[in-house]
Amino acid sequence: MQKYVRVYMTAWMLLFSVYTFAATQEQLAQQQLQQNVDAVLSVVRDKSLNEQQRISQIERYADQYLDYERISALAVGLPWRQFTAQQRRDFSAAFKNMIVRIYAHSALMGASNATVKVLPKVVNQGNNKLETFTEIVSGSNKHYTVGYQMYYSDGVFKIYNFRVNGTSLVTVYRSQFDQLIQQQGIDATIAQLRDRGVGKIQTKK
């Protein structure tokens, strides 16, 4: 009987240890997200910096926490398997630049008049993946819930997707990239993405 009691106690302790680790991971994810929000808002609201300086500082900071290659792979979808290693690097760099170009001015600069709150909600998706959330209230009182899908690696949570009111960043672009790759090929898609961005690319009829 004592043998079974010891087994039960060991199993309970293991379960408790797993639970504590998961809870710690969730807490760490929220702490990092709060630090990220505070750091970005501090730069955005620094009136001693001009717009380009703000964008540059935010980009350097974001480079530590965004997995651009994984974001690119999810945005492209199945055709990503056809990319060579060099094409993947080139596409990721071009996609990153496009995101910065499109969103830095409108979204990041708009944050100067917004209220951003880290929500007490974390969805554990398994395999070291979590989704954390913020609520953004714009200067015109519009409310947005932003989900940050991330994974844990080497002491840092890396973001690989964003969801705004449930709409995923990577799925917004996936159909566009799929069409461009089918019609124009991988290299031509990268070239146009690098030069003009997805929103200005004209597909062949």
Side-chain angles (χ1 to χ4, degrees), residues 20-36 65 118 122 128 130 132 150-158:
T20 302
F21 176 74
T24 301
Q25 292 287 79
E26 292 171 1
Q27 291 168 358
L28 287 173
Q30 284 197 303
Q31 289 172 7
Q32 180 182 300
L33 180 60
Q34 185 67 65
Q35 291 170 357
N36 293 162
Y65 299 102
V118 175
V122 179
N128 281 334
L130 299 170
T132 56
M150 53 181 69
Y151 66 91
Y152 188 75
S153 177
D154 297 327
V156 174
F157 286 93
K158 291 280 191 175

Side-chain angles (χ1 to χ4, degrees), residues 92-127:
S92 298
F95 192 37
K96 169 193 168 179
N97 289 337
M98 188 203 74
I99 291 173
V100 171
R101 190 164 61 241
I102 291 176
Y103 294 108
H105 177 76
S106 58
L108 295 180
M109 295 306 108
S112 61
N113 296 318
T115 300
V116 184
K117 177 182 179 182
V118 175
L119 300 178
K121 174 185 177 182
V122 179
V123 177
N124 193 324
Q125 300 173 324
N127 297 320

Side-chain angles (χ1 to χ4, degrees), residues 3-17:
K3 178 178 69 174
Y4 289 112
V5 170
R6 287 197 297 272
V7 172
Y8 289 139
M9 289 299 293
T10 301
W12 181 83
M13 287 299 294
L14 288 172
L15 178 62
F16 179 76
S17 297

